[in-house]
Coordinates of all heavy atoms in Angstrom, one line a residue:
A538 N 171.7 -137.1 170.8 CA 171.6 -136.8 172.2 C 172.9 -137.1 172.9 O 173.5 -138.2 172.6 CB 170.5 -137.6 172.9
A539 N 173.3 -136.3 173.8 CA 174.6 -136.5 174.5 C 174.3 -136.7 176.0 O 173.5 -136.0 176.5 CB 175.5 -135.4 174.3
A540 N 174.9 -137.7 176.6 CA 174.8 -137.9 178.1 C 176.2 -137.9 178.6 O 177.1 -138.5 178.2 CB 174.1 -139.2 178.4
T541 N 176.4 -137.0 179.6 CA 177.7 -136.9 180.3 C 177.6 -137.4 181.7 O 176.6 -137.0 182.4 CB 178.2 -135.5 180.3 OG1 178.3 -135.0 179.0 CG2 179.5 -135.3 181.0
F542 N 178.5 -138.3 182.1 CA 178.5 -138.8 183.5 C 179.8 -138.2 184.1 O 180.9 -138.6 183.7 CB 178.5 -140.3 183.5 CG 177.3 -140.9 182.9 CD1 177.4 -141.5 181.6 CD2 176.1 -140.9 183.5 CE1 176.3 -142.0 181.0 CE2 175.0 -141.5 182.9 CZ 175.1 -142.0 181.7
A543 N 179.6 -137.3 185.0 CA 180.7 -136.7 185.7 C 180.5 -136.7 187.2 O 179.4 -136.8 187.6 CB 180.8 -135.2 185.2
E544 N 181.6 -136.6 187.9 CA 181.5 -136.8 189.3 C 180.8 -135.6 190.0 O 180.1 -135.7 190.9 CB 182.9 -136.9 189.9 CG 182.9 -137.2 191.4 CD 184.3 -137.6 191.9 OE1 185.2 -137.8 191.2 OE2 184.4 -137.6 193.2
T545 N 180.9 -134.4 189.4 CA 180.2 -133.2 189.9 C 179.3 -132.6 188.9 O 179.4 -132.8 187.7 CB 181.3 -132.1 190.3 OG1 181.9 -131.6 189.1 CG2 182.3 -132.7 191.3
R546 N 178.3 -132.0 189.5 CA 177.3 -131.3 188.6 C 177.9 -130.2 187.8 O 177.6 -130.1 186.6 CB 176.3 -130.7 189.6 CG 175.2 -129.9 189.0 CD 174.3 -129.4 190.0 NE 173.3 -128.5 189.5 CZ 172.4 -127.9 190.1 NH1 172.3 -128.1 191.4 NH2 171.5 -127.2 189.5
E547 N 178.9 -129.5 188.3 CA 179.6 -128.5 187.6 C 180.4 -129.0 186.4 O 180.3 -128.4 185.3 CB 180.6 -127.7 188.5 CG 179.9 -126.9 189.6 CD 179.4 -127.7 190.8 OE1 179.9 -128.9 191.0 OE2 178.5 -127.3 191.5
D548 N 181.0 -130.2 186.6 CA 181.7 -130.8 185.4 C 180.7 -131.2 184.4 O 181.0 -131.1 183.2 CB 182.5 -132.0 185.9 CG 183.8 -131.6 186.7 OD1 184.2 -130.4 186.6 OD2 184.3 -132.5 187.4
R549 N 179.6 -131.8 184.8 CA 178.6 -132.2 183.8 C 178.1 -131.0 183.0 O 178.0 -131.0 181.8 CB 177.4 -132.9 184.5 CG 176.5 -133.6 183.6 CD 175.5 -134.5 184.3 NE 174.7 -133.8 185.3 CZ 174.9 -134.0 186.6 NH1 175.8 -134.8 187.1 NH2 174.1 -133.3 187.5
F550 N 177.8 -129.9 183.7 CA 177.3 -128.7 183.0 C 178.4 -128.2 182.1 O 178.1 -127.7 181.0 CB 176.9 -127.6 184.0 CG 175.6 -128.0 184.7 CD1 175.2 -127.3 185.9 CD2 174.7 -128.9 184.3 CE1 174.1 -127.6 186.6 CE2 173.5 -129.2 184.9 CZ 173.2 -128.5 186.1
K551 N 179.6 -128.2 182.5 CA 180.7 -127.7 181.7 C 180.8 -128.5 180.4 O 181.0 -127.9 179.3 CB 182.0 -127.7 182.5 CG 183.2 -127.2 181.7 CD 183.1 -125.7 181.4 CE 184.3 -125.2 180.7 NZ 184.1 -123.8 180.3
S552 N 180.6 -129.8 180.5 CA 180.7 -130.6 179.3 C 179.6 -130.2 178.3 O 179.8 -130.2 177.1 CB 180.6 -132.1 179.6 OG 179.3 -132.5 180.0
Y553 N 178.4 -129.9 178.8 CA 177.3 -129.5 177.9 C 177.6 -128.1 177.3 O 177.3 -127.9 176.1 CB 176.0 -129.5 178.6 CG 175.6 -130.9 179.0 CD1 175.1 -131.2 180.3 CD2 175.6 -132.0 178.1 CE1 174.7 -132.5 180.6 CE2 175.3 -133.3 178.4 CZ 174.8 -133.5 179.7 OH 174.5 -134.8 180.1
E554 N 178.2 -127.2 178.1 CA 178.6 -125.9 177.6 C 179.6 -126.1 176.4 O 179.5 -125.4 175.4 CB 179.2 -125.1 178.7 CG 178.1 -124.6 179.7 CD 178.8 -123.9 180.9 OE1 180.0 -123.7 180.9 OE2 178.0 -123.5 181.8
L555 N 180.6 -127.0 176.6 CA 181.6 -127.2 175.6 C 181.0 -127.8 174.3 O 181.3 -127.3 173.2 CB 182.7 -128.1 176.1 CG 183.6 -127.6 177.2 CD1 184.4 -128.7 177.8 CD2 184.4 -126.4 176.7
L556 N 180.0 -128.7 174.4 CA 179.3 -129.2 173.3 C 178.5 -128.1 172.6 O 178.5 -128.0 171.3 CB 178.4 -130.4 173.7 CG 179.1 -131.7 173.9 CD1 178.1 -132.7 174.5 CD2 179.6 -132.2 172.5
A557 N 177.8 -127.3 173.3 CA 177.0 -126.2 172.7 C 177.9 -125.3 172.0 O 177.6 -124.9 170.8 CB 176.3 -125.5 173.8
A558 N 179.1 -124.9 172.5 CA 180.0 -124.0 171.9 C 180.6 -124.7 170.6 O 180.7 -124.0 169.6 CB 181.2 -123.7 172.8
L559 N 180.8 -126.0 170.7 CA 181.4 -126.7 169.5 C 180.4 -126.7 168.3 O 180.9 -126.5 167.2 CB 181.6 -128.2 169.9 CG 182.3 -129.1 169.0 CD1 183.8 -128.6 168.7 CD2 182.4 -130.5 169.6
F560 N 179.1 -126.7 168.6 CA 178.1 -126.7 167.5 C 177.5 -125.3 167.4 O 176.4 -125.2 166.7 CB 177.1 -127.8 167.7 CG 177.7 -129.2 167.5 CD1 178.1 -130.0 168.5 CD2 177.8 -129.7 166.2 CE1 178.6 -131.2 168.3 CE2 178.3 -130.9 166.0 CZ 178.7 -131.7 167.0
L561 N 178.1 -124.3 168.0 CA 177.6 -122.9 167.9 C 176.1 -122.8 168.3 O 175.4 -122.0 167.7 CB 177.8 -122.4 166.4 CG 179.2 -122.5 165.9 CD1 179.3 -122.0 164.5 CD2 180.2 -121.7 166.8
L562 N 175.7 -123.5 169.4 CA 174.4 -123.4 169.9 C 174.4 -122.3 171.0 O 175.4 -122.2 171.7 CB 173.9 -124.7 170.5 CG 173.9 -125.9 169.5 CD1 173.6 -127.2 170.2 CD2 173.0 -125.6 168.3
T563 N 173.3 -121.6 171.2 CA 173.3 -120.6 172.2 C 172.0 -120.8 173.1 O 171.0 -121.4 172.6 CB 173.2 -119.2 171.7 OG1 172.0 -119.0 170.9 CG2 174.4 -118.9 170.8

Side-chain angles (χ1 to χ4, degrees):
T541 299
F542 300 102
E544 190 170 347
T545 68
R546 178 180 175 180
E547 293 78 20
D548 287 344
R549 190 170 57 254
F550 288 163
K551 181 66 176 175
S552 73
Y553 295 132
E554 289 171 3
L555 291 169
L556 280 171
L559 189 62
F560 288 99
L561 305 177
L562 303 174
T563 63

